[in-house]
mmCIF file of all heavy atoms in Angstrom:
data_model
loop_
_atom_site.group_PDB
_atom_site.id
_atom_site.type_symbol
_atom_site.label_atom_id
_atom_site.label_comp_id
_atom_site.label_asym_id
_atom_site.label_seq_id
_atom_site.Cartn_x
_atom_site.Cartn_y
_atom_site.Cartn_z
ATOM 1 N N GLN U 38 60.347 65.161 -12.050
ATOM 2 C CA GLN U 38 61.168 64.355 -11.113
ATOM 3 C C GLN U 38 62.685 64.570 -11.370
ATOM 4 O O GLN U 38 63.226 64.369 -12.487
ATOM 5 C CB GLN U 38 60.958 62.870 -11.392
ATOM 6 C CG GLN U 38 61.679 61.962 -10.366
ATOM 7 C CD GLN U 38 61.334 60.467 -10.640
ATOM 8 O OE1 GLN U 38 61.058 60.004 -11.700
ATOM 9 N NE2 GLN U 38 61.400 59.699 -9.516
ATOM 10 N N SER U 43 61.779 62.391 -5.735
ATOM 11 C CA SER U 43 60.420 61.908 -5.996
ATOM 12 C C SER U 43 59.723 62.727 -7.013
ATOM 13 O O SER U 43 60.257 63.700 -7.535
ATOM 14 C CB SER U 43 59.602 62.014 -4.619
ATOM 15 O OG SER U 43 58.340 61.435 -4.711
ATOM 16 N N GLU U 59 50.468 74.145 -9.417
ATOM 17 C CA GLU U 59 50.849 74.010 -8.031
ATOM 18 C C GLU U 59 51.708 75.238 -7.603
ATOM 19 O O GLU U 59 52.266 76.003 -8.401
ATOM 20 C CB GLU U 59 51.589 72.761 -7.804
ATOM 21 C CG GLU U 59 50.834 71.451 -8.028
ATOM 22 C CD GLU U 59 49.563 71.399 -7.069
ATOM 23 O OE1 GLU U 59 49.733 71.403 -5.842
ATOM 24 O OE2 GLU U 59 48.446 71.372 -7.691
ATOM 25 N N ARG U 97 43.785 60.529 -16.237
ATOM 26 C CA ARG U 97 42.657 59.782 -15.401
ATOM 27 C C ARG U 97 41.553 59.481 -16.339
ATOM 28 O O ARG U 97 41.113 60.467 -17.032
ATOM 29 C CB ARG U 97 42.253 60.674 -14.250
ATOM 30 C CG ARG U 97 41.419 59.977 -13.190
ATOM 31 C CD ARG U 97 40.776 61.045 -12.301
ATOM 32 N NE ARG U 97 39.744 61.815 -12.988
ATOM 33 C CZ ARG U 97 39.221 62.914 -12.539
ATOM 34 N NH1 ARG U 97 39.618 63.422 -11.441
ATOM 35 N NH2 ARG U 97 38.256 63.535 -13.210
ATOM 36 N N PHE U 102 36.681 61.182 -9.054
ATOM 37 C CA PHE U 102 37.516 60.759 -7.980
ATOM 38 C C PHE U 102 37.320 59.243 -7.834
ATOM 39 O O PHE U 102 36.276 58.702 -7.814
ATOM 40 C CB PHE U 102 37.078 61.419 -6.694
ATOM 41 C CG PHE U 102 37.783 60.948 -5.452
ATOM 42 C CD1 PHE U 102 39.133 61.344 -5.428
ATOM 43 C CD2 PHE U 102 37.249 60.242 -4.424
ATOM 44 C CE1 PHE U 102 39.872 60.878 -4.225
ATOM 45 C CE2 PHE U 102 37.992 59.794 -3.325
ATOM 46 C CZ PHE U 102 39.304 60.096 -3.216
ATOM 47 N N GLU U 104 38.796 57.107 -9.936
ATOM 48 C CA GLU U 104 39.238 56.480 -11.178
ATOM 49 C C GLU U 104 40.763 56.403 -11.150
ATOM 50 O O GLU U 104 41.474 57.286 -10.780
ATOM 51 C CB GLU U 104 38.729 57.286 -12.410
ATOM 52 C CG GLU U 104 37.280 57.196 -12.565
ATOM 53 C CD GLU U 104 36.765 55.838 -12.882
ATOM 54 O OE1 GLU U 104 37.579 54.950 -13.294
ATOM 55 O OE2 GLU U 104 35.486 55.533 -12.759
ATOM 56 N N GLN U 106 44.552 56.602 -12.155
ATOM 57 C CA GLN U 106 45.385 57.461 -13.056
ATOM 58 C C GLN U 106 46.447 56.505 -13.630
ATOM 59 O O GLN U 106 47.066 55.703 -12.944
ATOM 60 C CB GLN U 106 46.127 58.531 -12.212
ATOM 61 C CG GLN U 106 45.093 59.592 -11.781
ATOM 62 C CD GLN U 106 45.907 60.703 -11.013
ATOM 63 O OE1 GLN U 106 47.125 60.936 -11.268
ATOM 64 N NE2 GLN U 106 45.158 61.397 -10.119
ATOM 65 N N GLN D 39 58.961 52.023 -9.497
ATOM 66 C CA GLN D 39 59.672 52.759 -10.626
ATOM 67 C C GLN D 39 60.956 52.026 -10.948
ATOM 68 O O GLN D 39 61.993 52.174 -10.231
ATOM 69 C CB GLN D 39 59.902 54.213 -10.306
ATOM 70 C CG GLN D 39 60.422 54.942 -11.663
ATOM 71 C CD GLN D 39 60.643 56.434 -11.333
ATOM 72 O OE1 GLN D 39 61.216 56.822 -10.299
ATOM 73 N NE2 GLN D 39 60.207 57.300 -12.246
ATOM 74 N N ARG D 43 62.142 53.900 -15.438
ATOM 75 C CA ARG D 43 61.426 55.056 -14.870
ATOM 76 C C ARG D 43 59.885 55.216 -15.180
ATOM 77 O O ARG D 43 59.281 56.080 -14.875
ATOM 78 C CB ARG D 43 62.132 56.428 -15.294
ATOM 79 C CG ARG D 43 63.520 56.402 -14.905
ATOM 80 C CD ARG D 43 64.156 57.729 -15.040
ATOM 81 N NE ARG D 43 63.797 58.671 -13.979
ATOM 82 C CZ ARG D 43 64.450 59.886 -13.721
ATOM 83 N NH1 ARG D 43 65.383 60.259 -14.497
ATOM 84 N NH2 ARG D 43 64.100 60.706 -12.799
ATOM 85 N N ARG D 50 46.723 49.277 -4.500
ATOM 86 C CA ARG D 50 46.031 50.455 -4.036
ATOM 87 C C ARG D 50 45.044 50.050 -2.939
ATOM 88 O O ARG D 50 44.541 48.969 -2.904
ATOM 89 C CB ARG D 50 45.333 51.116 -5.258
ATOM 90 C CG ARG D 50 43.805 51.009 -5.328
ATOM 91 C CD ARG D 50 43.307 51.713 -6.622
ATOM 92 N NE ARG D 50 41.886 51.903 -6.502
ATOM 93 C CZ ARG D 50 41.290 52.717 -7.354
ATOM 94 N NH1 ARG D 50 41.908 53.462 -8.218
ATOM 95 N NH2 ARG D 50 39.916 52.765 -7.189
ATOM 96 N N ARG D 95 46.441 59.884 -2.440
ATOM 97 C CA ARG D 95 45.567 60.583 -3.415
ATOM 98 C C ARG D 95 44.455 61.336 -2.759
ATOM 99 O O ARG D 95 43.655 60.589 -2.074
ATOM 100 C CB ARG D 95 44.998 59.703 -4.497
ATOM 101 C CG ARG D 95 44.263 60.382 -5.606
ATOM 102 C CD ARG D 95 44.183 59.426 -6.776
ATOM 103 N NE ARG D 95 42.925 59.515 -7.521
ATOM 104 C CZ ARG D 95 42.572 58.710 -8.449
ATOM 105 N NH1 ARG D 95 43.214 57.613 -8.647
ATOM 106 N NH2 ARG D 95 41.437 58.896 -9.069
ATOM 107 N N ARG D 97 41.224 64.295 -2.181
ATOM 108 C CA ARG D 97 39.911 64.507 -2.710
ATOM 109 C C ARG D 97 39.892 65.423 -3.992
ATOM 110 O O ARG D 97 39.047 65.404 -4.822
ATOM 111 C CB ARG D 97 38.907 65.161 -1.792
ATOM 112 C CG ARG D 97 38.517 64.239 -0.631
ATOM 113 C CD ARG D 97 37.589 63.121 -1.179
ATOM 114 N NE ARG D 97 36.465 63.597 -1.912
ATOM 115 C CZ ARG D 97 35.559 62.824 -2.469
ATOM 116 N NH1 ARG D 97 35.687 61.473 -2.476
ATOM 117 N NH2 ARG D 97 34.564 63.369 -3.127
ATOM 118 N N ASP D 99 42.022 64.788 -6.203
ATOM 119 C CA ASP D 99 42.591 63.864 -7.158
ATOM 120 C C ASP D 99 44.097 64.025 -7.396
ATOM 121 O O ASP D 99 44.625 63.504 -8.379
ATOM 122 C CB ASP D 99 41.857 64.029 -8.496
ATOM 123 C CG ASP D 99 41.535 62.623 -9.131
ATOM 124 O OD1 ASP D 99 41.724 61.663 -8.446
ATOM 125 O OD2 ASP D 99 41.114 62.668 -10.270
ATOM 126 N N LYS D 100 44.726 64.810 -6.442
ATOM 127 C CA LYS D 100 46.179 65.021 -6.557
ATOM 128 C C LYS D 100 46.838 63.913 -5.888
ATOM 129 O O LYS D 100 46.530 63.524 -4.760
ATOM 130 C CB LYS D 100 46.507 66.426 -6.061
ATOM 131 C CG LYS D 100 45.956 67.527 -6.846
ATOM 132 C CD LYS D 100 46.325 68.823 -6.154
ATOM 133 C CE LYS D 100 45.672 70.085 -6.905
ATOM 134 N NZ LYS D 100 45.901 71.305 -6.312
ATOM 135 N N GLY D 104 55.730 59.969 -1.589
ATOM 136 C CA GLY D 104 56.887 59.918 -0.672
ATOM 137 C C GLY D 104 58.140 60.047 -1.398
ATOM 138 O O GLY D 104 58.223 60.058 -2.600
#
Side-chain angles (χ1 to χ4, degrees):
Chain U
Q38 185 179 29
S43 188
E59 295 300 301
R97 192 192 72 197
F102 180 68
E104 294 293 342
Q106 291 185 26
Chain D
Q39 188 179 43
R43 302 189 78 172
R50 108 179 195 164
R95 183 164 149 192
R97 288 293 305 176
D99 225 8
K100 297 178 182 178

